[in-house]
Amino acid sequence: QVQLVESGGGLVQPGRSLRLSCVASGTIFSINTMDWYRQAPGKQRELVAAIISDGSTNYADSVKGRFTISRDYAENTVYLQMNSLKPEDTAVYYCRIEGTSRGRTYGPFWGQGTQVTVSS
């Protein structure tokens, strides 16, 4: 059974940093993409950052230059380094993965979410 466990969220003042982590376990496939999404109250879930198996990354315009996604292939872990946080970054952040094995696609699988609150 695939499990994604996120950690690192919390309450932080504007301008400060947080680092989110997501560990994937129970995967019987090669993980192709590892993403971070977020959902603020009353808003739709949106893609924040994505990293694929070749190391290519993609970011939402709102976080470019402030957030960095990275991946530890050996540990099946994805990180999101968030710098210069703003109140509008407040949301529940979710980890998401997809993969393949022997021509079959697996996922997407989602984590339970971790709350990030940016407030003075």
Side-chain angles (χ1 to χ4, degrees), residues 41-93:
K43 294 188 177 182
Q44 289 188 330
R45 191 172 297 189
E46 62 173 355
L47 177 66
V48 176
I51 185 166
I52 63 175
S53 54
D54 67 359
S56 301
T57 58
N58 185 38
Y59 296 93
D61 287 342
S62 59
V63 307
K64 282 181 181 177
R66 299 188 298 121
F67 290 11
T68 302
I69 189 170
S70 61
R71 176 177 171 177
D72 184 328
Y73 291 84
E75 299 296 329
N76 277 351
T77 301
V78 62
Y79 304 97
L80 185 67
Q81 178 67 42
M82 306 186 293
N83 299 330
S84 303
L85 282 161
K86 305 175 180 180
E88 50 264 44
D89 294 318
T90 296
V92 178
Y93 284 70

Coordinates of all heavy atoms in Angstrom, one line a residue, residues 41-93:
P41 N -8.1 28.1 1.9 CA -9.6 28.0 2.2 C -10.4 28.7 1.1 O -10.1 29.8 0.7 CB -9.7 28.8 3.6 CG -8.4 28.6 4.2 CD -7.4 28.6 3.1
G42 N -11.4 28.0 0.6 CA -12.3 28.6 -0.4 C -11.7 28.6 -1.8 O -12.3 29.2 -2.7
K43 N -10.5 28.0 -2.0 CA -9.9 28.0 -3.3 C -9.7 26.6 -3.8 O -9.7 25.7 -3.0 CB -8.6 28.8 -3.2 CG -8.7 30.3 -2.9 CD -7.4 31.0 -3.1 CE -7.6 32.5 -2.9 NZ -6.3 33.2 -3.1
Q44 N -9.4 26.5 -5.1 CA -9.1 25.2 -5.6 C -7.7 24.8 -5.3 O -6.8 25.6 -5.1 CB -9.4 25.2 -7.1 CG -10.8 25.3 -7.6 CD -11.0 25.1 -9.1 OE1 -10.1 25.5 -9.9 NE2 -12.1 24.5 -9.5
R45 N -7.5 23.5 -5.3 CA -6.1 23.0 -5.1 C -5.3 23.3 -6.4 O -5.8 23.2 -7.5 CB -6.2 21.5 -4.9 CG -4.8 20.9 -4.5 CD -5.0 19.4 -4.1 NE -5.9 19.2 -3.0 CZ -6.1 18.0 -2.4 NH1 -5.4 17.0 -2.8 NH2 -6.9 17.9 -1.4
E46 N -4.1 23.8 -6.2 CA -3.3 24.2 -7.3 C -1.9 23.6 -7.2 O -1.4 23.4 -6.1 CB -3.1 25.8 -7.3 CG -2.5 26.4 -6.1 CD -2.2 27.9 -6.2 OE1 -2.5 28.4 -7.3 OE2 -1.7 28.4 -5.2
L47 N -1.3 23.4 -8.3 CA 0.1 22.9 -8.4 C 1.1 24.0 -8.0 O 1.0 25.1 -8.5 CB 0.4 22.4 -9.8 CG 1.9 21.9 -10.1 CD1 2.1 20.7 -9.3 CD2 2.1 21.7 -11.5
V48 N 2.0 23.7 -7.1 CA 3.0 24.6 -6.6 C 4.3 24.3 -7.3 O 4.9 25.2 -7.9 CB 3.2 24.5 -5.1 CG1 4.3 25.4 -4.6 CG2 1.9 24.8 -4.4
A49 N 4.7 23.1 -7.3 CA 6.0 22.7 -7.9 C 6.0 21.2 -8.3 O 5.3 20.4 -7.6 CB 7.2 23.0 -7.0
A50 N 6.7 20.9 -9.3 CA 6.8 19.5 -9.7 C 8.2 19.2 -10.1 O 9.0 20.0 -10.6 CB 5.9 19.3 -10.9
I51 N 8.6 17.9 -9.9 CA 9.9 17.4 -10.3 C 9.7 16.0 -10.9 O 9.1 15.2 -10.4 CB 10.9 17.4 -9.2 CG1 12.3 17.0 -9.7 CG2 10.5 16.5 -8.0 CD1 13.4 17.3 -8.6
I52 N 10.3 15.8 -12.1 CA 10.2 14.5 -12.8 C 11.5 13.8 -12.7 O 12.5 14.3 -12.2 CB 9.7 14.7 -14.2 CG1 10.7 15.4 -15.1 CG2 8.4 15.4 -14.3 CD1 10.4 15.5 -16.5
S53 N 11.5 12.5 -13.2 CA 12.6 11.6 -12.9 C 13.9 12.1 -13.5 O 14.9 11.7 -13.0 CB 12.2 10.2 -13.5 OG 11.9 10.3 -14.8
D54 N 13.9 12.9 -14.5 CA 15.2 13.4 -15.0 C 15.7 14.6 -14.3 O 16.7 15.2 -14.7 CB 15.1 13.7 -16.5 CG 14.1 14.8 -16.9 OD1 13.6 15.4 -15.9 OD2 14.0 15.1 -18.1
G55 N 14.9 15.0 -13.3 CA 15.4 16.2 -12.5 C 14.8 17.5 -13.0 O 15.0 18.5 -12.3
S56 N 14.0 17.5 -14.1 CA 13.4 18.7 -14.5 C 12.4 19.2 -13.5 O 11.7 18.4 -12.9 CB 12.7 18.5 -15.9 OG 13.6 18.1 -16.8
T57 N 12.2 20.5 -13.4 CA 11.3 21.1 -12.4 C 10.4 22.1 -13.1 O 10.7 22.6 -14.2 CB 12.1 21.8 -11.3 OG1 12.9 22.8 -11.8 CG2 12.9 20.8 -10.5
N58 N 9.3 22.3 -12.4 CA 8.3 23.3 -12.9 C 7.7 23.9 -11.7 O 7.4 23.3 -10.7 CB 7.2 22.6 -13.7 CG 6.2 23.5 -14.3 OD1 6.6 24.6 -14.8 ND2 4.9 23.2 -14.3
Y59 N 7.4 25.3 -11.8 CA 6.9 26.0 -10.7 C 5.7 26.9 -11.1 O 5.7 27.4 -12.2 CB 8.0 26.9 -10.1 CG 9.2 26.2 -9.5 CD1 10.3 26.0 -10.3 CD2 9.1 25.8 -8.2 CE1 11.4 25.3 -9.7 CE2 10.2 25.1 -7.6 CZ 11.3 24.9 -8.4 OH 12.4 24.2 -7.9
A60 N 4.8 27.1 -10.1 CA 3.8 28.1 -10.3 C 4.4 29.5 -10.4 O 5.4 29.7 -9.7 CB 2.8 28.0 -9.2
D61 N 3.9 30.3 -11.2 CA 4.4 31.7 -11.3 C 4.5 32.4 -9.9 O 5.5 33.1 -9.7 CB 3.6 32.5 -12.2 CG 3.8 32.1 -13.7 OD1 4.8 31.4 -14.0 OD2 2.9 32.5 -14.5
S62 N 3.6 32.1 -9.1 CA 3.5 32.8 -7.8 C 4.6 32.4 -6.8 O 4.8 33.1 -5.8 CB 2.1 32.5 -7.1 OG 2.0 31.1 -6.9
V63 N 5.3 31.3 -7.1 CA 6.4 30.9 -6.2 C 7.7 30.9 -6.8 O 8.7 30.6 -6.1 CB 6.1 29.5 -5.6 CG1 4.7 29.5 -4.9 CG2 6.2 28.4 -6.6
K64 N 7.8 31.2 -8.1 CA 9.1 31.2 -8.8 C 10.1 32.1 -8.1 O 9.8 33.2 -7.8 CB 8.9 31.5 -10.3 CG 8.4 30.4 -11.1 CD 8.3 30.9 -12.6 CE 7.7 29.8 -13.4 NZ 7.5 30.2 -14.8
G65 N 11.3 31.6 -7.9 CA 12.3 32.4 -7.3 C 12.3 32.4 -5.8 O 13.2 32.9 -5.1
R66 N 11.3 31.8 -5.2 CA 11.1 31.7 -3.7 C 11.1 30.3 -3.2 O 11.7 30.0 -2.2 CB 9.8 32.4 -3.3 CG 9.8 33.9 -3.6 CD 8.6 34.5 -2.9 NE 7.3 34.0 -3.3 CZ 6.4 33.4 -2.5 NH1 6.6 33.3 -1.2 NH2 5.3 32.9 -3.0
F67 N 10.5 29.4 -4.0 CA 10.4 28.0 -3.6 C 11.4 27.1 -4.5 O 11.6 27.4 -5.7 CB 9.0 27.5 -3.8 CG 8.0 28.0 -2.9 CD1 8.3 29.1 -2.0 CD2 6.7 27.5 -2.8 CE1 7.3 29.6 -1.1 CE2 5.8 28.0 -1.9 CZ 6.1 29.0 -1.1
T68 N 11.9 26.1 -3.9 CA 12.7 25.1 -4.6 C 12.3 23.7 -4.3 O 12.2 23.3 -3.1 CB 14.2 25.3 -4.3 OG1 14.6 26.7 -4.5 CG2 15.1 24.4 -5.1
I69 N 12.0 22.9 -5.3 CA 11.7 21.5 -5.1 C 12.9 20.7 -5.4 O 13.7 21.0 -6.3 CB 10.5 21.1 -6.0 CG1 10.0 19.7 -5.7 CG2 10.8 21.2 -7.5 CD1 8.7 19.3 -6.4
S70 N 13.1 19.7 -4.6 CA 14.2 18.7 -4.8 C 13.8 17.3 -4.4 O 12.7 17.2 -3.8 CB 15.4 19.2 -4.0 OG 15.2 19.2 -2.6
R71 N 14.6 16.4 -4.8 CA 14.2 15.0 -4.6 C 15.4 14.1 -4.2 O 16.5 14.3 -4.8 CB 13.6 14.5 -5.9 CG 13.2 13.0 -5.9 CD 12.5 12.7 -7.2 NE 12.3 11.2 -7.3 CZ 11.7 10.6 -8.4 NH1 11.2 11.4 -9.4 NH2 11.6 9.3 -8.4
D72 N 15.2 13.2 -3.3 CA 16.2 12.2 -2.9 C 15.7 10.9 -3.5 O 14.8 10.3 -3.0 CB 16.3 12.2 -1.4 CG 17.4 11.2 -1.0 OD1 17.6 10.2 -1.7 OD2 18.0 11.4 0.1
Y73 N 16.3 10.5 -4.6 CA 15.8 9.3 -5.3 C 16.0 8.0 -4.4 O 15.1 7.2 -4.4 CB 16.6 9.1 -6.6 CG 16.2 10.2 -7.6 CD1 16.9 11.4 -7.6 CD2 15.3 10.0 -8.6 CE1 16.6 12.4 -8.5 CE2 15.0 10.9 -9.5 CZ 15.7 12.1 -9.5 OH 15.3 13.1 -10.4
A74 N 17.1 8.0 -3.7 CA 17.3 6.8 -2.9 C 16.3 6.6 -1.8 O 16.0 5.5 -1.4 CB 18.7 6.8 -2.4
E75 N 15.9 7.7 -1.2 CA 15.0 7.7 -0.1 C 13.5 7.9 -0.5 O 12.7 8.0 0.4 CB 15.4 8.8 1.0 CG 16.8 8.6 1.5 CD 16.9 7.3 2.3 OE1 15.9 6.9 2.9 OE2 18.0 6.7 2.3
N76 N 13.2 8.0 -1.7 CA 11.9 8.3 -2.2 C 11.2 9.5 -1.5 O 10.1 9.4 -1.0 CB 11.0 7.1 -2.0 CG 11.1 6.1 -3.1 OD1 11.7 6.4 -4.2 ND2 10.5 4.9 -3.0
T77 N 12.0 10.5 -1.4 CA 11.6 11.7 -0.6 C 11.7 12.9 -1.5 O 12.6 13.1 -2.3 CB 12.5 11.9 0.6 OG1 12.5 10.8 1.4 CG2 12.1 13.1 1.4
V78 N 10.7 13.8 -1.4 CA 10.6 15.1 -2.1 C 10.6 16.2 -1.1 O 9.9 16.0 0.0 CB 9.5 15.1 -3.1 CG1 8.1 15.1 -2.4 CG2 9.6 16.4 -4.0
Y79 N 11.3 17.3 -1.4 CA 11.3 18.4 -0.5 C 10.8 19.7 -1.2 O 10.9 19.8 -2.4 CB 12.8 18.7 0.0 CG 13.5 17.5 0.6 CD1 14.3 16.7 -0.1 CD2 13.3 17.2 2.0 CE1 14.9 15.6 0.5 CE2 13.9 16.2 2.6 CZ 14.7 15.3 1.8 OH 15.3 14.3 2.4
L80 N 10.3 20.6 -0.3 CA 9.9 21.9 -0.9 C 10.5 22.9 0.1 O 10.1 23.1 1.2 CB 8.4 22.0 -1.0 CG 8.0 23.3 -1.6 CD1 8.4 23.4 -3.1 CD2 6.4 23.5 -1.5
Q81 N 11.6 23.6 -0.4 CA 12.2 24.7 0.4 C 11.4 26.0 0.0 O 11.4 26.4 -1.1 CB 13.6 24.8 0.0 CG 14.3 26.0 0.8 CD 14.4 25.8 2.3 OE1 14.7 24.7 2.7 NE2 14.2 26.8 3.0
M82 N 10.8 26.6 1.0 CA 10.0 27.8 0.8 C 10.7 28.9 1.6 O 10.8 28.9 2.8 CB 8.6 27.5 1.4 CG 7.9 26.3 0.8 SD 6.2 26.1 1.3 CE 6.4 25.8 3.1
N83 N 11.1 29.9 0.8 CA 11.7 31.1 1.3 C 10.9 32.3 1.1 O 10.0 32.3 0.2 CB 13.1 31.3 0.7 CG 14.1 30.2 0.9 OD1 14.0 29.5 2.0 ND2 15.0 29.9 0.0
S84 N 11.2 33.4 1.8 CA 10.4 34.6 1.6 C 8.9 34.4 1.6 O 8.2 34.9 0.7 CB 10.9 35.3 0.3 OG 12.3 35.6 0.3
L85 N 8.5 33.7 2.6 CA 7.0 33.3 2.6 C 6.2 34.6 2.8 O 6.5 35.5 3.5 CB 6.8 32.3 3.8 CG 7.2 30.9 3.4 CD1 7.4 30.1 4.7 CD2 6.2 30.3 2.5
K86 N 5.0 34.5 2.2 CA 4.0 35.6 2.2 C 2.7 35.0 2.8 O 2.4 33.8 2.8 CB 3.7 36.1 0.8 CG 5.0 36.5 0.0 CD 4.6 36.9 -1.4 CE 5.8 37.3 -2.2 NZ 5.5 37.7 -3.6
P87 N 1.9 35.9 3.3 CA 0.6 35.5 3.9 C -0.2 34.7 2.8 O -1.0 33.8 3.2 CB -0.1 36.8 4.3 CG 1.0 37.7 4.6 CD 2.1 37.3 3.6
E88 N -0.1 35.1 1.6 CA -0.9 34.4 0.6 C -0.4 32.9 0.3 O -1.0 32.2 -0.5 CB -0.9 35.2 -0.8 CG 0.5 35.6 -1.2 CD 0.8 37.1 -0.8 OE1 0.5 37.4 0.4 OE2 1.3 37.8 -1.7
D89 N 0.7 32.6 0.9 CA 1.2 31.2 0.8 C 0.5 30.3 1.8 O 0.7 29.0 1.8 CB 2.7 31.1 1.0 CG 3.5 31.8 0.0 OD1 3.2 31.7 -1.2 OD2 4.5 32.5 0.3
T90 N -0.3 30.9 2.7 CA -1.0 30.1 3.7 C -2.0 29.1 3.0 O -2.8 29.5 2.2 CB -1.8 31.0 4.6 OG1 -0.9 31.8 5.3 CG2 -2.7 30.2 5.6
A91 N -1.8 27.8 3.3 CA -2.6 26.8 2.7 C -2.3 25.4 3.3 O -1.3 25.3 4.1 CB -2.4 26.7 1.2
V92 N -3.0 24.4 3.0 CA -2.6 23.0 3.2 C -1.8 22.6 2.0 O -2.3 22.7 0.9 CB -3.8 22.1 3.5 CG1 -3.4 20.7 3.7 CG2 -4.6 22.6 4.7
Y93 N -0.6 22.1 2.3 CA 0.2 21.6 1.2 C 0.2 20.1 1.1 O 0.3 19.4 2.2 CB 1.7 22.1 1.5 CG 1.9 23.5 1.2 CD1 1.3 24.5 2.0 CD2 2.6 23.9 0.1 CE1 1.4 25.9 1.7 CE2 2.7 25.3 -0.3 CZ 2.1 26.2 0.6 OH 2.3 27.6 0.2

